[in-house]
């Protein structure tokens, strides 16, 4: 699913979590509800890839709601907004685990390792990948009012900083 949020890498080592935007900007302090993701990873050291999303009252991603949280630096305002407009980190890839780069592994293998971490919490989820024909999945996304999908080749490796031709965004 194309979540219509802010793409973010999560760097987690025991006791520490750092979030970075796609353009390598530190955004950890803007999303305090995600800090406990570090505990969910327990003793694992990992780099995760995902999307920070704000959901509306109908459970649909809302970029307009998320914009209220972006670029806020005042700790008091961040805390107030975290309560008023909470976010969820939708984790879709695992890039590094316990001292080992996973970039060269096929996406299917990285997803299997990610699923083994069992990361589901109050402010983070690892949605199941939707396998099937892109047209059917896109139609289902449109029916649910979602922006679109990202079609990914299961055998694709991760290409940092590049828009891989193995990952294709398809909007409704």
């Amino acid at each position: 699913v194309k979540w219509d949020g802010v793409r973010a890498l999560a760097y987690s080592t025991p006791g520490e979590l750092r979030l970075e935007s796609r353009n390598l900007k530190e955004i950890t302090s803007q999303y305090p509800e995600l800090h406990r993701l570090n505990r969910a990873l327990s003793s694992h050291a990992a780099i995760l890839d995902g999307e920070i999303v704000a959901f509306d009252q109908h459970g649909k991603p809302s970029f307009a709601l998320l914009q209220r949280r972006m670029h806020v630096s005042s700790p008091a305002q961040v805390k107030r907004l975290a309560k008023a407009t909470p976010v969820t980190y939708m984790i879709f890839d695992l890039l590094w685990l316990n001292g080992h780069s996973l970039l060269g592994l096929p996406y299917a293998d990285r997803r299997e390792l990610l699923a083994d971490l069992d990361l589901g919490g109050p402010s983070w989820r690892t949605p199941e990948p939707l396998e099937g024909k892109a047209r059917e999945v896109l139609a289902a996304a449109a029916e649910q009012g979602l922006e679109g999908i990202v079609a990914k080749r299961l055998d694709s490796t991760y290409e940092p900083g590049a828009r891989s031709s193995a990952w294709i965004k398809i909007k409704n």
Side-chain angles (χ1 to χ4, degrees):
V1 171
K2 187 173 183 325
W3 291 108
D4 198 21
V6 171
R7 181 90 174 266
L9 294 178
Y11 299 84
S12 181
T13 56
E16 184 180 349
L17 178 74
R18 187 176 88 250
L19 299 168
E20 278 186 5
S21 67
R22 179 185 346 202
N23 55 2
L24 307 179
K25 182 182 175 208
E26 168 91 23
I27 57 174
T28 310
S29 63
Q30 292 173 256
Y31 304 103
E33 63 268 52
L34 303 182
H35 295 176
R36 290 182 36 210
L37 170 60
N38 180 260
R39 284 187 181 167
L41 282 159
S42 186
S43 62
H44 294 291
I47 300 174
L48 306 168
D49 193 356
E51 193 99 356
I52 297 172
V53 180
F55 291 97
D56 67 16
Q57 68 273 20
H58 305 293
K60 305 287 188 236
S62 171
F63 193 74
L65 285 175
L66 184 62
Q67 282 181 308
R68 297 177 188 171
R69 300 284 308 272
M70 297 165 61
H71 314 296
V72 176
S73 58
S74 160
Q77 190 175 9
V78 165
K79 186 175 181 179
R80 186 173 40 78
L81 288 170
K83 287 182 183 178
T85 309
V87 298
T88 302
Y89 186 48
M90 305 300 281
I91 306 164
F92 53 74
D93 212 335
L94 177 62
L95 312 182
W96 191 82
L97 184 62
N98 299 326
H100 302 283
S101 172
L102 307 178
L103 300 180
L105 292 179
Y107 178 65
D109 293 353
R110 296 192 315 274
R111 282 296 307 209
E112 188 174 315
L113 290 167
L114 178 58
D116 289 346
L117 292 174
D118 195 27
L119 295 175
S123 299
W124 55 89
R125 296 183 208 154
T126 306
E128 290 290 322
L130 304 172
E131 293 184 30
K133 297 184 184 269
R135 286 182 190 173
E136 293 168 2
V137 175
L138 184 62
E143 190 175 293
Q144 294 178 39
L146 300 172
E147 183 182 0
I149 62 173
V150 180
K152 301 177 182 183
R153 289 183 49 130
L154 295 175
D155 63 352
S156 65
T157 59
Y158 193 92
E159 299 178 37
R163 291 195 184 263
S164 169
S165 62
W167 291 23
I168 302 169
K169 292 181 184 181
I170 306 168
K171 291 185 178 185
N172 283 315

